[in-house]
Amino acid sequence: MHPETQTLLIGSFWGFPYLASFATAILAGYLIPAPEEVIFVLLGYAAVFQDVNIIWVIVAAILGIVVSDNVSYWLGRKGSVWVEKFEKMVGTQIVVRYEKEIHMHAGKTIFTSRFIPTIRVLVPILAGTLKVRWKIFFIYDLLATILNVGALIAIGYIFESQISSVLSKVNSTRHFLSLVSLAIIGTIISLILRSIFFKKDQ
């Protein structure tokens, strides 16, 4: 394995690739200052250089998101100061809009929110606050997470080899440029989803 790559990937996924995938997914959208699209694309990229099964990387990341979303759901259901602060940060207009959406189409709203930056964090809280049945929340959240997270990690995993082959002649910076290219891809995906959301708000 190229030494620059080993350093870049923070010591082989901290030495615990599946646990690292799980932890990264839990922190995504909350403590990691980057769009989830970027995080999961880069997670797929990192998996290329490890002796890991990409399926288990995806499964670990999905479990992390499901755990995170369920914690948000139960915080919303029980009520907390943190929930109130987050709703104020997002904005009353958006909160009211998605409360109406959940009342009218709970499953559909929970599913589609997973693909919208910021809203993917808000909707689990609102679903809990509005006492949506946990079974309904869990099923639709899980299905959306499987599709969303699975696709993003697969993009990073599949397209790394293609990007690296294009950059193979610049050996000293190949992995860095691959990383930047995939980060750009993730950012573009995030911006497209965000633009669709704002168009709907107009």
Side-chain angles (χ1 to χ4, degrees), residues 104-176:
M104 295 173 62
H105 309 286
K108 177 183 175 181
T109 304
I110 292 165
F111 184 89
T112 57
S113 69
R114 168 47 42 194
F115 302 90
I116 306 174
T118 303
I119 303 306
R120 63 169 62 106
V121 180
L122 173 65
V123 166
I125 295 172
L126 293 181
T129 302
L130 298 174
K131 302 295 190 296
V132 173
R133 287 176 57 196
W134 177 79
K135 184 176 180 180
I136 291 176
F137 170 78
F138 179 79
I139 291 173
Y140 282 96
D141 184 64
L142 176 62
L143 290 175
T145 301
I146 290 172
L147 181 60
N148 179 235
V149 174
L152 291 171
I153 293 178
I155 286 172
Y157 186 81
I158 293 169
F159 286 95
E160 184 285 330
S161 59
Q162 297 185 18
I163 293 173
S164 290
S165 65
V166 172
L167 301 172
S168 59
K169 293 184 179 180
V170 282
N171 293 323
S172 62
T173 58
R174 178 170 68 88
H175 297 296
F176 174 74

Side-chain angles (χ1 to χ4, degrees), residues 58-71:
I58 293 173
V59 169
I62 289 171
L63 288 175
I65 289 294
V66 170
V67 168
S68 178
D69 286 352
N70 273 270
V71 168

Side-chain angles (χ1 to χ4, degrees), residues 76-77 83-84 86-88 90-110 112-113 119 122-132 197 201:
R77 195 170 182 107
V83 171
E84 293 176 2
F86 182 78
E87 290 181 354
K88 288 180 180 178
V90 172
T92 303
Q93 185 176 354
I94 293 177
V95 170
V96 170
R97 173 191 168 183
Y98 278 91
E99 284 179 342
K100 291 180 180 178
E101 293 283 348
I102 291 172
H103 276 303
M104 295 173 62
H105 309 286
K108 177 183 175 181
T109 304
I110 292 165
T112 57
S113 69
I119 303 306
L122 173 65
V123 166
I125 295 172
L126 293 181
T129 302
L130 298 174
K131 302 295 190 296
V132 173
F197 164 66
D201 266 352

Side-chain angles (χ1 to χ4, degrees), residues 38-57:
V38 174
I39 293 169
F40 290 122
V41 167
L42 295 182
L43 200 60
Y45 167 86
V48 175
F49 300 97
Q50 310 303 311
D51 185 20
V52 298
N53 185 322
I54 187 62
I55 300 299
W56 285 112
V57 171

Side-chain angles (χ1 to χ4, degrees), residues 175-192:
H175 297 296
F176 174 74
L177 292 175
S178 294
L179 190 68
V180 171
S181 299
L182 288 166
I184 291 172
I185 290 173
T187 301
I188 290 172
I189 294 172
S190 179
L191 290 174
I192 289 173

